[in-house]
Amino acid sequence: MEKVLLVALFTLLIHMAETLAYGIRLAGIRTGKLAAALSLTGIVLLLARTSNMIQGPMTATVVQYARSHAEYDLLGHFRIIIAGASAGTLLAMLLLPTVVSLSTRVLAHLEEAGSFPQMMRTSVTLDRLRRAGGHLRPPTRQMLARLRIGGIPKRLLLTNVVVTAIYTIGVLSALVASYLYPDYRDAASQASGLINGVATVLLAMLIDPQVALLTDKVLRGEKSPSAMSKMFGILMVSRLCGTLLAQLLLLPAAHWIAWIVRFF
């Protein structure tokens, strides 16, 4: 159980970091430093999505334990891990105003330092870390009032829900398939990388261009900055819905992976 909670915490941090990347972009738009913000966002997403691949080896030991202990509730413990993804996304939503405020300072320091490593050396000090608490911003009613679907393509939101669900359970469903169908253990467990890869490509092809188009309109003055805040807020909500949908898809996805493995 301790290892499951550790993986759930790790999953929480991954999904929180990915969701908070929206806050960095929003800070870049508000400060006019979008290129620097996109660079910083790319670093955060790269670290988060690479870390998500480490989830496989960490959870594989849980599956090995379940094989030798028939009473072990593997699905129940995997659902705890998925709950960590939901908790991380929800926490990111609550921290969004704080992250936007902090990101404006980070972007200013990045511009002064000229590179991310140099900024880490010169700007990350104990004194500044102590003062980071001054950037705490609670969510406001105005933020909640913006969370209306009107004006946001419903297809985009549905796509984000489905892709997030696939991304959340890619590793876990493959491991469940290897547990339920031991004859196809190796092939099923290796499918996780392909599933996550497809989900990442779908995010890059279907979600990011829509966000980029709206960003261009905001920068040209065709849309107000509040439209961008609304878009990111709705996308966060759809990500949360995606992690909840993942709970329902965990077992069906495992059977589907096993069927694909047997078919090929």
Side-chain angles (χ1 to χ4, degrees):
M1 186 63 181
E2 293 80 5
K3 182 164 289 187
V4 171
L5 293 176
L6 178 62
V7 177
L9 177 61
F10 190 64
T11 303
L12 182 152
L13 294 175
I14 290 172
H15 281 261
M16 184 177 70
E18 288 194 353
T19 308
L20 285 177
Y22 292 134
I24 302 174
R25 290 186 185 183
L26 188 56
I29 295 170
R30 291 181 177 178
T31 59
K33 300 172 182 176
L34 182 58
L38 291 177
S39 176
L40 188 57
T41 300
I43 294 172
V44 172
L45 290 177
L46 179 62
L47 291 174
R49 290 172 182 174
T50 302
S51 299
N52 192 58
M53 297 175 64
I54 304 174
Q55 188 186 57
M58 292 178 69
T59 50
T61 57
V62 177
V63 177
Q64 289 176 354
Y65 180 84
R67 289 194 181 105
S68 57
H69 296 77
E71 75 283 358
Y72 188 80
D73 184 12
L74 182 66
L75 281 177
H77 285 124
F78 273 14
R79 294 192 188 283
I80 293 174
I81 295 174
I82 298 174
S86 300
T89 305
L90 181 59
L91 185 58
M93 294 169 65
L94 297 175
L95 290 175
L96 179 63
T98 299
V99 169
V100 172
S101 178
L102 282 172
S103 295
T104 57
R105 297 301 307 153
V106 170
L107 291 173
H109 291 314
L110 179 60
E111 188 175 42
E112 292 175 4
S115 68
F116 187 74
Q118 182 64 21
M119 183 195 72
M120 294 297 292
R121 284 195 297 268
T122 59
S123 300
V124 180
T125 63
L126 288 175
D127 182 56
R128 284 179 174 170
L129 289 175
R130 291 193 194 98
R131 286 185 291 172
H135 294 277
L136 288 174
R137 302 286 188 276
T140 62
R141 289 185 180 181
Q142 185 180 9
M143 287 178 55
L144 298 176
R146 291 197 196 107
L147 299 180
R148 299 173 183 170
I149 299 179
I152 306 296
K154 295 179 178 62
R155 184 179 300 177
L156 172 66
L157 302 181
L158 181 60
T159 301
N160 199 37
V161 170
V162 174
V163 173
T164 300
I166 295 172
Y167 180 73
T168 302
I169 61 169
V171 172
L172 300 178
S173 290
L175 290 173
V176 172
S178 70
Y179 172 74
L180 295 176
Y181 300 90
D183 292 341
Y184 305 97
R185 180 186 306 173
D186 294 337
S189 60
Q190 292 173 4
S192 61
L194 177 61
I195 296 170
N196 275 2
V198 170
T200 301
V201 170
L202 289 175
L203 283 171
M205 291 179 60
L206 303 178
I207 308 300
D208 291 347
Q210 294 281 344
V211 176
L213 289 173
L214 181 58
T215 301
D216 286 342
K217 290 181 180 180
V218 171
L219 293 177
R220 290 197 301 265
E222 298 175 13
K223 293 279 188 179
S224 66
S226 62
M228 203 76 241
S229 301
K230 177 179 180 178
M231 167 72 87
F232 286 148
I234 293 295
L235 285 176
M236 285 182 168
V237 173
S238 65
R239 277 185 64 93
L240 178 61
C241 293
T243 62
L244 297 176
L245 177 62
Q247 296 279 6
L248 300 176
L249 296 182
L250 176 62
L251 188 56
H255 290 302
W256 180 79
I257 291 171
W259 180 81
I260 290 293
V261 168
R262 284 183 292 178
F263 182 77
F264 288 101

